[in-house]
């Protein structure tokens, strides 16, 4: 019997990319490939790239070069680029980085097995030719669902696949294969974006906004629960638009309670919310539905009205603070995070002071700060009044220091509170770590539990916050607070 072909998936970027990698893994495993964790143990290393900002692009190139270095020293015979950077640049990336044996776009995902086999056999598959994916679907959201089957939508693989094609987990199995043993998993709610923020290129290579059908989201969540997942995070470029192409802009409000009823799921988190699209009904559901975390990942980007208008966005400091007051009026301990861009073209010292006023009043749990840089193909790249790089760097350092102080203060406000912690890591030397409702994976800090007796990954524990370490919390588990059965890697497979 011939040795099975092996493949490793290296994922960079956001949670959306992680979902895409697990879909690719499902397709490859269904076609007989053996998935391995380390690229050096794989015949083919597939790097799922990020194309968002310059730093992410550099990380993607570095990962491709690192994988290429394995060739000739172990099993690795080919390195293939997929993901946003590959989709965005295609042939240009292939020419600039000949170390990559293939550059595949989203349209190649459905035939990923054949593409990799061709490359592994020494054949050449023509590198992806980029195109504006916003033009692939009708302008009217109401007409998009009819065309959805004709467009590649990573992470939208259907459920209820024919026998033998999906991972062996019953009729609800999606075309997805988990790549880690975490009790947390992301689920794609939608893809693409209809907003036209002047600094963002994502819609051009991710396309126009299109929702997944609620039945597919529910079925995938049920399948993940069967795999041992305890928390799901709903991801897309803009979750507040969910349902507008399905005839119901309030569809998320009805979907969340249904997801909360899925057996085995202990927590549901919604990410990527647009402040200008927040609805009273959505705030109510996010703050009052059992198992739905009162967590608000709000994309403010700035708070000075002039800068926001130049960004093609809406709002100002006072309106944003009113939104936060509304949220905390319903859930005083709600978690809120956001990202901000400083040094945007035309940003004055007064604009920066306005941003500081907002940050000082917002009491955010986590803050990401980025210095502006031109993104190819965006409106902002054509703007005049660009700030000197030194000025941007100075403002970035200043606001970053302020952000670090403010999130530490916000963490200290939580001392004495009782938090529900999902245990994610149990290590005899490093301790027991998890996350509370206000902390999303990777971005928002974590909780160190003072006692790990009887705890395992996947436990939901109530604990009292007794201290802080920057943005992180230190908490003491309460007696008899274990609210879910132990989860193990074996059970999750």
């Amino acid at each position: 019997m011939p040795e099975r072909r092996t493949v490793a998936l290296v994922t960079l970027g956001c949670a959306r990319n992680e979902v895409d990698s697990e879909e690719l893994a499902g397709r490859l495993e269904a076609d007989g490939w053996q998935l391995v964790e380390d690229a050096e143990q794989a015949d083919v290393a597939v790097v799922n790239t990020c194309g968002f900002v310059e730093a992410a692009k550099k990380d993607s190139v570095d990962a491709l070069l690192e994988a290429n270095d394995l060739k000739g020293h172990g099993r690795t015979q080919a390195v293939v680029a997929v993901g946003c950077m590959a989709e965005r640049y295609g042939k240009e990336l292939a020419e600039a980085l000949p170390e990559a044996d293939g550059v595949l776009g989203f349209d190649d995902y459905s035939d990923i097995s054949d593409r990799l086999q061709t490359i592994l056999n020494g054949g050449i598959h023509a590198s992806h030719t980029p195109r504006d994916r916003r033009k692939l679907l009708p302008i009217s959201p109401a007409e998009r669902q009819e065309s959805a089957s004709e467009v590649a939508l990573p992470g939208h693989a259907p459920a209820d696949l024919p026998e033998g094609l999906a991972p062996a987990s019953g009729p609800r199995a999606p075309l997805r294969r988990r790549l880690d043993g975490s009790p947390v998993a992301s689920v794609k709610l939608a893809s693409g974006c209809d907003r036209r923020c002047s600094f963002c290129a994502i819609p051009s290579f991710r396309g126009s906004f299109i929702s997944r059908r609620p039945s597919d989201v529910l079925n995938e969540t049920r399948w993940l629960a069967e795999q041992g997942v305890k928390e799901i995070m709903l991801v897309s470029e803009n979750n507040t638009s969910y349902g507008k192409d399905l005839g119901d802009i309030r569809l998320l409000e009805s979907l969340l309670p249904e997801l909360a009823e899925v057996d085995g799921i202990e927590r549901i988190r919604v990410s990527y919310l647009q402040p200008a699209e927040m609805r009273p009904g959505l705030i109510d559901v996010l703050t009052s539905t059992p198992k739905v975390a009162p967590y608000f990942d709000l994309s403010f980007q700035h708070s000075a009205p002039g800068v926001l208008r130049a960004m093609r966005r809406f709002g100002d400091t006072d309106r944003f603070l009113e939104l936060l007051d509304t949220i905390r009026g319903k859930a005083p301990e709600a978690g809120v995070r956001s990202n901000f861009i400083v040094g945007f073209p035309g940003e004055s010292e007064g604009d920066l002071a306005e941003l500081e006023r907002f940050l000082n009043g917002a009491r955010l749990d986590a803050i990401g700060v980025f210095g502006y840089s031109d993104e190819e193909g965006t409106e902002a790249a054509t703007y005049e009044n660009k700030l000197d790089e030194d000025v941007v760097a100075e403002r970035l350092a200043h606001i970053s220091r302020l952000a670090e102080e403010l999130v530490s203060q916000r963490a200290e406000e939580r001392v004495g509170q009782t938090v529900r912690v999902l245990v994610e890591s149990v290590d005899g030397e490093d301790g027991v770590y998890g996350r509370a409702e206000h902390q999303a994976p990777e971005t928002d800090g974590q909780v160190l539990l003072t006692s790990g007796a009887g705890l395992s990954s996947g436990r939901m524990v109530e604990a009292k916050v007794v201290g802080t370490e920057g943005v992180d919390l230190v908490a003491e588990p309460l007696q008899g607070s274990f609210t879910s059965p132990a989860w193990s890697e074996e059970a999750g497979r």
Side-chain angles (χ1 to χ4, degrees), residues 353-371:
E354 186 69 3
L355 175 58
E356 289 187 52
R357 181 169 80 89
F358 172 69
L359 292 174
N360 280 301
R363 296 169 54 232
L364 302 177
D365 292 279
I367 300 171
V369 187
F370 301 88

Side-chain angles (χ1 to χ4, degrees), residues 184-490:
V184 183
S186 295
V187 176
K188 268 204 180 174
L189 200 59
S191 286
C193 186
D194 288 341
R195 301 183 72 87
R196 293 296 179 260
C197 300
S198 63
F199 56 84
C200 183
I202 289 176
S204 66
F205 56 86
R206 278 289 183 179
S208 298
F209 184 90
I210 187 161
S211 305
R212 293 182 74 192
R213 294 195 174 277
S215 58
D216 285 342
V217 177
L218 277 164
N219 284 340
E220 186 164 340
T221 299
R222 293 184 182 112
W223 178 80
L224 287 166
E226 291 175 357
Q227 309 306 300
V229 168
K230 298 300 178 185
E231 175 180 327
I232 62 164
M233 184 165 72
L234 300 178
V235 299
S236 75
E237 278 72 25
N238 178 10
N239 280 335
T240 34
S241 283
Y242 180 68
K244 72 176 186 178
D245 53 321
L246 294 171
D248 185 0
I249 190 60
R250 295 176 177 81
L251 194 56
L252 183 56
E253 286 94 305
S254 59
L255 176 60
L256 286 170
E258 292 186 71
L259 291 170
E261 294 178 0
V262 173
D263 289 341
I265 296 298
E266 295 282 342
R267 179 185 291 163
I268 298 158
R269 185 182 305 277
V270 184
S271 61
Y272 305 111
L273 301 169
Q274 287 291 340
E277 297 181 28
M278 289 300 296
R279 306 175 291 276
L282 180 56
I283 295 174
D284 287 343
V285 170
L286 288 171
T287 55
S288 65
T289 307
K291 295 187 180 181
V292 175
Y295 174 81
F296 294 81
D297 176 10
L298 293 163
S299 177
F300 289 120
Q301 302 299 345
H302 212 284
S303 72
V307 175
L308 287 168
R309 300 306 173 268
M311 290 179 169
R312 304 295 182 201
R313 298 178 66 83
F314 305 94
D316 55 48
T317 295
D318 292 333
R319 274 191 276 183
F320 289 164
L321 291 176
E322 288 174 6
L323 172 61
L324 295 178
D325 285 344
T326 299
I327 290 169
R328 291 181 174 128
K330 297 177 180 296
E333 297 176 7
V336 186
R337 79 163 330 273
S338 192
N339 293 323
F340 299 89
I341 298 173
V342 297
F344 195 79
E347 181 191 61
S348 67
E349 290 185 2
D351 293 328
L352 195 69
E354 186 69 3
L355 175 58
E356 289 187 52
R357 181 169 80 89
F358 172 69
L359 292 174
N360 280 301
R363 296 169 54 232
L364 302 177
D365 292 279
I367 300 171
V369 187
F370 301 88
Y372 173 81
S373 62
D374 285 339
E375 272 296 306
E376 181 183 352
T378 63
E379 180 185 354
T382 69
Y383 285 178
E384 298 179 353
N385 301 320
K386 301 277 179 64
L387 303 184
D388 290 341
E389 290 184 5
D390 290 346
V391 174
V392 175
E394 181 181 342
R395 293 184 179 184
L396 173 62
H398 172 65
I399 297 297
S400 295
R401 286 193 298 270
L402 174 62
E404 186 174 349
E405 293 173 6
L406 292 173
V407 296
S408 295
Q409 292 173 14
R410 177 62 179 139
E412 290 170 1
E413 292 179 18
R414 294 189 180 275
V415 173
Q417 294 181 2
T418 297
V419 292
R420 295 184 76 238
V421 180
L422 176 63
V423 177
E424 293 185 330
S425 172
V426 179
D427 188 294
E429 296 182 1
D430 296 333
V432 179
Y433 287 90
R435 289 177 301 99
E437 289 185 324
H438 69 282
Q439 297 169 318
E442 308 293 336
T443 59
D444 300 346
Q446 57 189 351
V447 179
L448 169 63
L449 294 172
T450 58
S451 173
L455 296 179
S456 56
S457 180
R459 286 279 191 178
M460 192 71 79
V461 181
E462 289 192 354
K464 181 178 180 180
V465 180
V466 297
T468 65
E469 296 178 359
V471 70
D472 298 330
L473 304 181
V474 180
E476 180 180 341
L478 299 179
Q479 189 79 19
S481 67
F482 300 174
T483 59
S484 65
W487 182 93
S488 67
E489 187 170 342
E490 289 73 17

Side-chain angles (χ1 to χ4, degrees), residues 4-5 7 9 19-35 105-116 149 151-159 161 164-167 174-179 223:
R4 291 181 71 188
R5 304 160 295 177
V7 59
L9 284 143
V19 176
D20 295 351
S21 284
E22 293 196 350
E23 179 188 312
L24 290 173
R27 291 183 181 278
L28 290 166
E29 188 171 65
D31 202 44
W33 291 77
Q34 179 182 349
L35 294 155
F106 298 151
D107 293 334
D108 292 306
Y109 281 21
S110 61
D111 297 311
I112 187 68
S113 178
D114 289 343
R115 300 287 187 266
L116 296 190
S149 61
V151 177
L153 297 169
H156 284 231
L161 293 165
L165 186 58
L175 191 54
R176 177 173 180 172
R177 198 270 200 185
R178 301 219 61 212
L179 292 174
W223 178 80

